[in-house]
Amino acid sequence: MGLFDKPTGGEHKGGLRQIFEAAKPELNLSADQEQKIKEIFKDLRDERHDLKDESGDNMQDDMRANRQQAKQKIMDILNADQQKIIHQHLNEWRNKTS
């Protein structure tokens, strides 16, 4: 399972955006980081919308790949300490959803 993939089984509430928003107060993002991440989420939302419109056989795989790409872009923007905070929030999210 990737860093921001949905767990299987159980009720899923949350995801990439929710994890990020929960961690955001602790991240102390620069204005540049915040703007870049905002753009990543906008692009992800637009791509998901396009994929839903296409609704092909590989839609779920394509959506998963898009989440992974967005996650990697975000992690590339964050420094090591910020990445640790995201990982901590991810672990908390996984524990709640498993």
Side-chain angles (χ1 to χ4, degrees):
M1 181 182 304
L3 180 60
F4 291 109
D5 283 343
K6 296 179 192 177
T8 55
E11 185 178 345
H12 168 72
K13 289 191 179 187
L16 178 59
R17 180 80 183 210
Q18 290 76 16
I19 293 168
F20 178 77
E21 290 298 328
K24 190 175 174 181
E26 300 170 51
L27 294 174
N28 297 316
L29 298 171
S30 69
D32 185 51
Q33 285 177 310
E34 195 160 349
Q35 182 59 38
K36 287 178 181 178
I37 292 170
K38 184 178 179 180
E39 290 173 18
I40 291 168
F41 282 122
K42 181 191 176 302
D43 292 344
L44 179 61
R45 183 182 64 241
D46 292 346
E47 290 167 6
R48 289 182 68 148
H49 181 36
D50 291 344
L51 287 171
K52 286 181 180 180
D53 286 346
E54 294 171 13
S55 50
D57 294 336
N58 297 326
M59 183 178 73
Q60 291 298 324
D61 291 337
D62 292 342
M63 291 175 101
R64 187 175 302 112
N66 284 348
R67 277 195 309 272
Q68 286 301 315
Q69 289 172 356
K71 169 251 173 189
Q72 187 58 52
K73 289 177 185 177
I74 290 170
M75 296 306 274
D76 289 346
I77 292 169
L78 302 177
N79 65 38
D81 290 335
Q82 292 168 323
Q83 290 175 6
K84 288 178 189 176
I85 292 168
I86 289 290
H87 283 286
Q88 178 184 6
H89 280 266
L90 172 67
N91 289 334
E92 291 171 7
W93 175 75
R94 281 188 179 154
N95 289 336
K96 289 178 184 177
T97 59
S98 55

